[in-house]
Amino acid sequence: MGSLSPTRTMRFWLWGPRSLGVALGVFMTIGFALQLWGGPFQRRLPGVGLQLRQPWTLSQRPSPPSCPPRQRLVFLKTHKSGSSSVLNLLHRYGDRHGLRFALPARYQFGYPKPFQASRVKNYHPQDEGTPFPFHILCHHMRFNLKEVLRVMPSDSFFFSIVRDPATLAHSAFSYYKSTSSAFRKAPSLAAFLANPRAFYRLGARGDHYARNLLWFDFGLPFPPDMKTARRNPHLFRDSNTLQQHVPPAGVNPPAHTLEPNAFFHPVPTVANGHRQASSPDSLDQWSSSLIQWGLAWLDSVFDLVLVAEYFDESLVLLADALCWGLDDVVGFMHNAQAGGQRALGALREGRVTEEEQQLAARARAWNNLDWALYVHFNRSLWTRIEQYGQSRLESAVAELRARREALAKHCLLGGEALDPKYITDHRFRPFQFGSAKVLGYILRSGLSPDDQEECERLVTPELQYKDKLDAKQFPPTVSLPVQASRLLSP
Ligand SMILES: *[C@@H]1O[C@H](CO)[C@@H](O)[C@H](O)[C@H]1NC(C)=O
């Protein structure tokens, strides 16, 4: 991933210099406001810290951070890659600091259609010179930069998360078993991956869940043979847009050391358009330059991409990049399926059977675009880790884990995630979907009011939290006093 300045330059270059002034103005206003209200903004975890035996030292850094915390954020919430846990920390941070979220009417922004600004509740086209009304955009969408920039300033912090397609496939298969017709027809993931083309049809219901889901969520265009006319983004529709998306000359896609075949497996071409390549070789070339281009483009747009397999390392880098405290990024796993973590741990530690290894290889080959994406962002993450300092990172990660453990002991009944059958309080029961159980949390009783509030934030599942933020931002109109309702009609 490039340094920050080319990223920003690129975004301005793409979407016009006009936004530069606006963005700068907004940024300065926020910085100023932060200095004014620095006191309340710095309030962290009231009560909890006092009751812990080991004081949490990192949040009481000797000198205050020299950078203002970033509070304009765009998080692309990818599917089945640990993004719900990131959502929880964004919800908490925004809630605690009174930030405004760009919210969908329900829980997603018209997914799987590309994001449209008009899907944001209370969205109004932006007047020149007025500050953008929202701080955080983070709910499920298929990424669409042009429309996102109608809602969020271009100097927002853009980030996302990716996961190894080998483990993502397990999670997607059990979660979307009945949603994706390809998965529904397959008796097991192994059977599906042994011969995906026996089950998978382009354009069938939920086909995007069954192949290259990350690539799809990032809104990138697909090679000709993987196109679904219905859902392909409009990037290549006309030459103007194409030019806008070609990386500038200075952006050299990093060379990949992966064997080229891993990127693209030649498959019988579908005769579906004028852009169709004639031979497998030129198709290969077309696809691999498309991949290179896609990755370079993402590098120019996203400031940071977290990696689910190195979640805690990613969180430390996130806190650092946002100039947040470690406390702000500590949280519990959300939307985890029962049994999911075991598989992940085993794969990471190399404790896998030959059969599982074969499954992983097949999942990565079938999801070749996602694999390219994953390898690329894994590499970027580790470059950043080196820049941050390996040992400095290790101690921050250890601190983060200790803090999480302390919070779990303090807040949670049993200290860990539980089967949803035990969770009777509807405020904390996670939405159940797919064929595996989605785990959740129960709070210990007898917490002090302040701790109760913070612990509730930590365990509130994403849908309930969205509803809570929604109610806070859009109080029910029936209870409006007369004066306020007059304000609403100009
Ligand atoms: C991710 O990067 C780490 C560190 O370089 C490496 O050990 C690991 O194998 C990488 N994972 C993949 C799937 O490339």
Side-chain angles (χ1 to χ4, degrees), residues 8-237:
R8 242 171 257 142
T9 320
M10 178 75 176
R11 268 183 225 144
F12 292 135
W13 177 78
L14 274 176
W15 305 114
R18 180 168 61 87
S19 43
L20 178 65
V22 178
L24 205 62
V26 169
F27 196 71
M28 283 165 67
T29 313
I30 296 173
F32 184 64
L34 275 175
Q35 282 179 354
L36 277 184
W37 300 314
F41 275 34
Q42 297 308 318
R43 191 173 72 98
R44 296 191 201 288
L45 298 178
V48 179
L50 296 176
Q51 298 178 20
L52 294 170
R53 256 168 292 147
Q54 283 178 311
W56 178 239
T57 47
L58 262 208
S59 63
Q60 302 143 10
R61 296 179 200 182
S63 53
S66 52
C67 44
R70 302 199 55 171
Q71 300 195 320
R72 296 275 185 171
L73 312 169
V74 175
F75 174 59
L76 173 64
K77 187 179 188 295
T78 50
H79 287 82
K80 308 322 298 164
S81 35
S83 62
S84 296
S85 309
V86 178
L87 204 65
N88 175 261
L89 70 89
L90 292 176
H91 280 160
R92 278 187 287 138
Y93 186 91
D95 189 15
R96 220 187 288 132
H97 294 187
L99 306 182
R100 292 185 65 82
F101 287 80
L103 295 172
R106 298 200 65 240
Y107 300 108
Q108 310 191 348
F109 293 107
Y111 189 86
K113 293 200 191 101
F115 176 77
Q116 293 290 320
S118 57
R119 294 267 183 183
V120 173
K121 262 184 110 164
N122 230 23
Y123 168 77
H124 302 291
Q126 191 67 21
D127 283 333
E128 212 168 317
T130 56
F132 283 83
F134 303 111
H135 297 93
I136 302 180
L137 173 65
C138 63
H139 293 90
H140 272 311
M141 68 164 73
R142 185 172 189 209
F143 192 65
N144 183 3
L145 179 63
K146 194 170 174 209
E147 288 289 314
V148 166
L149 291 179
R150 291 193 207 285
V151 182
M152 299 296 294
S154 59
D155 67 345
S156 303
F157 186 86
F158 281 65
F159 72 118
S160 187
I161 182 166
V162 295
R163 183 179 183 185
D164 188 339
T167 42
L168 194 151
H170 281 279
S171 181
F173 188 83
S174 69
Y175 205 74
Y176 299 115
K177 184 83 177 80
S178 57
T179 318
S180 154
S181 69
F183 285 162
R184 199 184 30 204
K185 284 185 270 167
S188 67
L189 179 65
F192 176 76
L193 289 173
N195 188 10
R197 292 192 182 278
F199 307 100
Y200 178 84
R201 293 276 171 277
L202 268 183
R205 196 165 77 95
D207 62 352
H208 63 287
Y209 292 120
R211 188 176 199 194
N212 292 315
L213 180 53
L214 291 172
W215 193 268
F216 183 87
D217 286 355
F218 275 97
L220 293 168
F222 282 80
D225 76 310
M226 294 187 201
K227 255 184 191 174
T228 46
R230 188 162 43 93
R231 294 210 196 84
N232 204 46
H234 313 291
L235 298 185
F236 290 123
R237 281 283 156 79

Side-chain angles (χ1 to χ4, degrees), residues 164 310 364 371 374-375 378 382:
D164 188 339
Y310 304 103
R364 289 163 178 166
W371 176 238
Y374 178 75
V375 169
N378 183 44
W382 282 90

